[in-house]
Amino acid sequence: MTHDCMIIGGGPAGLNAALVLGRARKNVVVIDEGRPRNRVTRMTHGFLTRDPISPSEFRRIAKEQISLYPSVYFVEDTAVSITGTDGYFQITTAQGQTYQSKKLLFAAGMKDLPTDIKGLADVYGKSAFICPYCDGWELREQPLVLIVKGAEALHFAKVISGWTPHFAICTNGPDELTDEQREELNQHNVPVYDSPIDTVDSNDGMVQQVVLQDGTKITCTGIFFRPKLIPGSDLPQAIGCQITEAGTVIVDSFGKTNVPGVFSAGDAASQLHQAIMAASLGSLAGVGINNELNDEAWHKASH
């Protein structure tokens, strides 16, 4: 059977695309390995009607609702290779299964590389986070450490200042700031420490202090940091999709890539790492895919 669409990745983007396509009466297979990037966090925030909700519960409800549309089904597996062109793609999985589809949607998101800061992994998702829009409210008015450097440090400081004035910046090495940026942070009484981080001390996932190699100890109850990310799948690049320097797939407003028949959505195609953003982009991609399928069927029927 050749399906209408194969979705690689079952996070908010892939799920919302599946919902749109299921309601549009399209035959869809969602391939997901069941290891979402946000599994390290206890709660997902900022998603209207679902604030807060655990990532696992979010997926459970989504799949339950999508199950109302019988043309969509889920496979727990990993896509490892793709051949073919628009109208007929063939996907092989790690378990040796093959699937055929007319269109492809890459929604496998991004993956975190292991952090090289001792103790940071112990607090990631519990008291150390990457997105203040997702987790800033829970850390409001608390003493925080921002692990970031360069121009991004000044930007991050301005953003965090809306939640708390009590924060310090640790650049974990040379600060990469200009004299003007350093002076602006100083005018706002933001301490900047450029000594490398020795360790993050915590208790049961709750950060207590950041210890620097020069012996400085910075007491805090939360951390925000910039993770090192890689694409959740290398298949978009393998099939010829254009990729940004950040590793995201280049798409138009409906998730269409430069490769005919191939779409991408969510964190795989955006640096706006919020669940509701990913779901929104997945919905748009679903509409784009459905429009293409309907247009092709319309013209085929006229011949």
Side-chain angles (χ1 to χ4, degrees), residues 7-213:
I7 298 175
I8 312 299
L15 290 168
N16 218 3
L19 177 62
V20 169
L21 290 167
R23 288 180 54 81
R25 304 176 66 200
K26 298 302 185 284
N27 292 306
V28 179
V29 178
V30 181
I31 300 179
D32 182 64
E33 63 183 7
R35 290 177 56 80
R37 179 174 168 233
N38 65 356
R39 68 187 182 278
V40 301
T41 191
R42 292 170 176 168
M43 290 292 172
T44 295
H45 297 99
F47 205 114
L48 195 63
T49 78
R50 292 288 181 265
D51 181 43
I53 188 171
S54 72
S56 60
E57 180 68 0
F58 179 92
R59 289 184 173 225
R60 186 196 67 76
I61 293 172
K63 287 185 177 181
E64 181 182 88
Q65 294 180 348
I66 293 170
S67 70
L68 296 174
Y69 308 99
S71 63
V72 180
Y73 75 95
F74 294 86
V75 175
E76 188 166 319
D77 204 342
T78 303
V80 294
S81 68
I82 296 177
T83 57
T85 56
D86 187 16
Y88 185 82
F89 295 100
Q90 182 165 295
I91 297 171
T92 303
T93 71
Q95 295 178 21
Q97 300 298 310
T98 58
Y99 301 90
Q100 293 79 39
S101 71
K102 298 174 185 176
K103 306 291 178 182
L104 289 176
L105 172 61
F106 290 110
M110 305 293 280
K111 290 183 178 179
D112 292 287
L113 288 174
T115 174
D116 56 3
I117 298 175
K118 182 182 176 183
L120 184 56
D122 297 332
V123 296
Y124 186 20
K126 302 178 181 70
S127 57
F129 307 97
I130 63 171
C131 173
Y133 290 98
C134 302
D135 298 286
W137 170 262
E138 284 68 34
L139 295 173
R140 63 194 184 281
E141 293 299 326
Q142 296 184 35
L144 308 179
V145 163
L146 314 183
I147 303 177
V148 64
K149 65 179 60 177
E152 205 169 15
L154 180 58
H155 168 73
F156 218 157
K158 293 176 182 178
V159 173
I160 291 295
S161 68
W163 281 276
T164 180
H166 315 297
F167 62 91
I169 293 174
C170 289
T171 60
N172 194 31
D175 62 29
E176 299 180 10
L177 293 164
T178 64
D179 289 340
E180 291 79 9
Q181 290 166 343
R182 210 172 283 115
E183 176 58 27
E184 187 171 344
L185 288 167
N186 182 58
Q187 288 177 355
H188 287 82
N189 300 311
V190 178
V192 178
Y193 301 92
D194 62 7
S195 175
I197 296 172
D198 181 69
T199 186
V200 174
D201 288 338
S202 63
N203 181 27
D204 194 28
M206 306 310 294
V207 61
Q208 296 177 317
Q209 62 180 4
V210 175
V211 182
L212 308 183
Q213 289 183 8

Side-chain angles (χ1 to χ4, degrees), residues 268-281:
S270 169
Q271 291 184 272
L272 302 172
H273 296 169
Q274 288 180 272
I276 198 164
M277 296 287 193
S280 173
L281 294 172

